[in-house]
Amino acid sequence: MATTSIRVSETPLVLYALRRADDALVMGHRLSEWCGHAPALEEDMALANIGLDLLGQARSLYGYAAEVEAAGNDEDDYAYLRDAPQYRNLLLAELPNGDFARTILRQFFYAAFTDLYWRAVMKSSDATLAAIAAKSEKESAYHLRHSAEWVIRLGDGTEESHRRAADAVAYLWPYTGEMFEADAAEQELIATGAVVDPAALRESWDKTVSDILAEATLEKPAYGWMQKGGRTGRHSEHLGHLLAVMQSVQRAYPGATW
Amino acid sequence: MAQGVTARVVTALGSPPAGDEALRQKAIDAASTVVDPEIPVLTIADLGVLRDVTVEGGHVRVDITPTYSGCPAMNMIAVEIDIALSKAGIEDKEIRTVLAPAWTTDWMSEDGRRKLREYGIAPPQPGSGRRALFGKDVVTCPRCGSKETHLLAEFGSTSCKALWRCESCREPFDYFKCH
């Protein structure tokens, strides 16, 4: 009989892979919501393409989690049969798209991180993670270039686009700190050389962000209190709505295939 | 088909039993006929997606590697290989996706680049390091050969392509991005 939810044994490596996969899946799903709604046809295709890259990264990571967990769960089970508290993504990824400026700034903050992150994980002692990172870093580089160009155009554009971009920076900033967190489970993997400590990338990330925001005539907020919780399943109310859409077919017709 | 793949596959395993060798060659020939569903002038051997073919005790294993993480053509390609092998009379088979080493546009054969150009798609620039990703691209128009071209949209009709336009003949064209 088809099941409607799964349990996952979250060993440090499974948890790690799920966290990164969930980031990519949820962010990719958000981008897919733009399909048919973006301000221009080229941008519609760009956001859909970036979403597709992220979906592909998520699939590789879920596939690896399934292999490591070896409990009979596969990539679809992780995506469709876990509820919000079982999701391990960054809060940043699940925030609603808002206007175009907010979507672009969210992408920029994330891509500026993943560009550094996947490049560093290419040196992982774990061959599969290194391989996934080698694909993801090239994609992230394109995402970063695309979103950074838009940040500059919006920030240094009209009064209206500047105001919206500045609002987006202020709204999203408290969600950027979570990218650099690593709990005890992840520290264990960091110690073995399988993954890198995200905190070590903060300085480079800050430099990229500072440079682009300055060029965009946008003010970089001060580092203050940061939101977190996504990594341990404490999400905003937005994720539940996103999953309700994404998982609707499997919830209505458990085990459906086509 | 790409000579590189055939040569590498044939030399990789030393000298297996004669029957396996014949079977492997048959499998390579069959798998090499499969084309990319999005760019039907390129075979998966031209693309460098076909990584290896091995035979062990009559069991054929074909290794393929994705181009872009989210490339939707991969599932289709796996199905097409399965069909091609069946048509060649090979039933004991498996198609495996391998991630390492990560695919790069540098693996695209010269023949593949020429076919792309003839099809109207500007081939990727060789040398896919980060400099190629972020340097100023000079892309030659596949129609008239002009270098007076510019980028219209960085993300094009598929994940692997960008949309460019030629200033000389004024035609838009796809550019296969470096990866």
Side-chain angles (χ1 to χ4, degrees), chain A residues 115 135 137 139 142 145, chain B residues 67 69 130 133 154 178-179:
Chain A
D115 176 57
K135 292 216 83 60
E137 76 96 19
E139 289 154 5
Y142 275 111
R145 179 162 73 173
Chain B
T67 51
S69 296
R130 291 184 77 80
L133 280 177
E154 195 147 20
C178 292
H179 201 58

Side-chain angles (χ1 to χ4, degrees), chain B residues 3 114 121 176:
Chain B
Q3 293 308 310
R114 180 185 55 75
I121 299 173
F176 202 110

Side-chain angles (χ1 to χ4, degrees), chain A residues 45-46 49, chain B residues 153-163 174 177:
Chain A
M45 285 164 68
N49 264 298
Chain B
E154 195 147 20
F155 295 85
S157 54
T158 67
S159 11
C160 55
K161 287 180 253 151
L163 185 63
D174 274 332
K177 292 192 277 190

Side-chain angles (χ1 to χ4, degrees), chain A residues 42 45-46 49-50 52-53 56-57 59-60 115 119 128 131-132 134-139 141-143 145-146 149, chain B residues 66-70 72 75 99-100 102-104 128 130 133-135 152-159 177-179:
Chain A
E42 287 80 3
M45 285 164 68
N49 264 298
I50 295 171
L52 189 61
D53 284 343
Q57 294 170 14
R59 290 189 62 183
S60 294
D115 176 57
R119 217 182 322 158
T128 306
I132 294 171
K135 292 216 83 60
S136 305
E137 76 96 19
K138 289 181 188 170
E139 289 154 5
Y142 275 111
H143 304 171
R145 179 162 73 173
H146 178 77
E149 282 175 357
Chain B
T67 51
Y68 279 63
S69 296
N75 290 347
L99 293 174
W103 181 84
T104 146
S128 71
R130 291 184 77 80
L133 280 177
F134 289 111
L152 286 181
E154 195 147 20
F155 295 85
S157 54
T158 67
S159 11
K177 292 192 277 190
C178 292
H179 201 58

Side-chain angles (χ1 to χ4, degrees), chain A residues 31 34 47 96-108:
Chain A
L31 291 176
W34 274 102
L47 294 177
N97 286 334
D99 57 14
F100 183 65
R102 191 185 283 179
T103 294
I104 286 296
L105 259 304
R106 184 185 61 197
Q107 206 60 41
F108 170 64

